[in-house]
Amino acid sequence: MDEYKELIGVLPLSTIDYAFAYGSGAIQQKNENKSEKMVDFIVVTNDAKQFHAENSQKNPSHYSLLRLIGPSLLEKIQCNWAARVYYNTHVNVGKRKIKYGVISYENAKQDLLDWRWIYIAGRLHKPVLDVIGPDEKMSDLVLENRRSALHASLLLLPDSFNMKQLFSQIVGLSYTGDFRMVVGEDRNKISKIVEGNYEELLRVYEPLMAEDARLSVINHSKIIQDGGTAAIYHRLNLLPSEVLQQVQRKMNRQQKRQRDTEEVIFALAHRHDVADTVSSAIGSIIRPVSISQTAKNALSAGVTRSIVYSMAKMSKFLKSK
């Protein structure tokens, strides 16, 4: 942990409410040496403009030429486009390289509660390393996000499954519809995360499973859920608002009718394509965001760093094929 605190310590921390490390440079994955990896961070700031003002003065080399536009416009680029995250990448800190994304507290809250972009939310479905611990409000947001991930995953699973299948579904949620899983990402990424973090996933999700009256954990090899219409309707109602809006749009478009969300959810609970509909709704959120955020990351990184980063991703992708 001390190493990660030192790495994030190069940033101005006066406005940072929460910071966590994620990815294969911080969280162990099967058959990976994390000490050789770039460390990915997310920092949540209560004042994006002030953060960029302080950081561009303290660490001008972290930025591409975009730093010349000033903190006000950097804040606008961060908070008004794609997943509302601004990344600086391939930053040398001692012997390690880091990449850090900056998001405002309000945008983080919107994503964790509503799944507006499923970007920060998706990263926090999985185990992360808290480097600057969250306050009580942020902890509650992270917990609610993970509870939503559990409900969504259960809707995508059959009535009987095992713990590994559940964790694979949870970890895989944020990759649904992401074009990088077609080209650019390690195709074994989900299984590596699950197998490398099984105990930590248990620590995070077992308490949430224990409080779910519609779920029976016989053992790690057999979990049974209530697959009845009432249970499905209950879980659908607990999905984040952005997912429900996408479900409503999709079903109204298909049936050429205008129904409110409650009517649509009731109708869907009686159908046999719940999993496909929910998965499609999640993918319709992630797909455009993955494309726009990748373009934004290339802009914030600059040409040279973007090429280096893309080549590293493509190398991992080709090795996994």
Side-chain angles (χ1 to χ4, degrees), residues 12-19 42-54 75 78-79 84-86 101-109 138:
L13 302 178
S14 63
T15 69
I16 302 305
D17 290 329
Y18 178 40
I42 292 291
V43 295
V44 181
T45 175
N46 54 53
D47 190 330
K49 181 180 176 181
Q50 184 181 338
F51 174 84
H52 288 298
E54 293 177 1
E75 178 193 25
Q78 176 189 311
C79 297
R84 277 49 176 180
V85 185
Y86 186 100
V102 188
I103 186 169
S104 74
Y105 177 88
E106 288 303 317
N107 285 147
K109 178 180 178 180
M138 180 58 73

Side-chain angles (χ1 to χ4, degrees), residues 40-167:
D40 296 345
F41 292 95
I42 292 291
V43 295
V44 181
T45 175
N46 54 53
D47 190 330
K49 181 180 176 181
Q50 184 181 338
F51 174 84
H52 288 298
E54 293 177 1
N55 196 39
S56 57
Q57 270 202 329
K58 184 178 182 180
N59 300 303
S61 64
H62 291 193
Y63 290 82
S64 68
L65 290 176
L66 274 182
R67 72 181 184 279
L68 300 177
I69 68 177
S72 293
L73 288 178
L74 286 173
E75 178 193 25
K76 284 184 169 58
I77 290 173
Q78 176 189 311
C79 297
N80 293 292
W81 186 23
R84 277 49 176 180
V85 185
Y86 186 100
Y87 273 104
N88 285 326
T89 188
H90 276 80
V91 173
N92 292 305
V93 182
K95 296 179 180 179
R96 299 294 297 269
K97 285 186 181 292
I98 70 170
K99 177 179 81 173
Y100 60 93
V102 188
I103 186 169
S104 74
Y105 177 88
E106 288 303 317
N107 285 147
K109 178 180 178 180
Q110 189 178 8
D111 201 27
L112 292 170
L113 280 184
D114 302 335
W115 285 14
R116 177 64 183 82
W117 305 284
I118 318 185
Y119 199 84
I120 300 304
R123 279 144 184 76
L124 284 164
H125 293 162
K126 301 176 272 290
V128 300
L129 188 63
D130 288 343
V131 183
I132 297 174
D135 61 16
E136 187 176 353
K137 288 182 179 179
M138 180 58 73
S139 291
D140 288 345
L141 292 172
V142 172
L143 184 62
E144 189 58 34
N145 173 53
R146 287 171 172 169
R147 192 175 280 117
S148 295
L150 177 60
H151 285 303
S153 296
L154 290 170
L155 286 166
L156 301 179
L157 287 164
D159 292 352
S160 179
F161 51 91
N162 61 44
M163 197 72 77
K164 188 174 177 181
Q165 287 174 306
L166 173 63
F167 291 159

Side-chain angles (χ1 to χ4, degrees), residues 2 38 54 83 105 157 181 184 187 190 203 208 284 298:
D2 288 344
M38 183 164 62
E54 293 177 1
Y105 177 88
L157 287 164
M181 294 304 288
R187 292 192 173 186
I190 293 170
R203 186 192 67 78
L208 300 181
S284 67

Side-chain angles (χ1 to χ4, degrees), residues 30 157 161-172 190-196 198 201-202 209 219-223:
K30 187 181 179 182
L157 287 164
F161 51 91
N162 61 44
M163 197 72 77
K164 188 174 177 181
Q165 287 174 306
L166 173 63
F167 291 159
S168 295
Q169 198 67 254
I170 290 171
V171 168
I190 293 170
S191 62
K192 284 182 177 180
I193 293 171
V194 172
E195 291 178 33
Y198 188 85
L201 284 161
L202 273 177
M209 296 168 69
N219 52 51
H220 288 191
S221 298
K222 188 169 185 180
I223 305 167

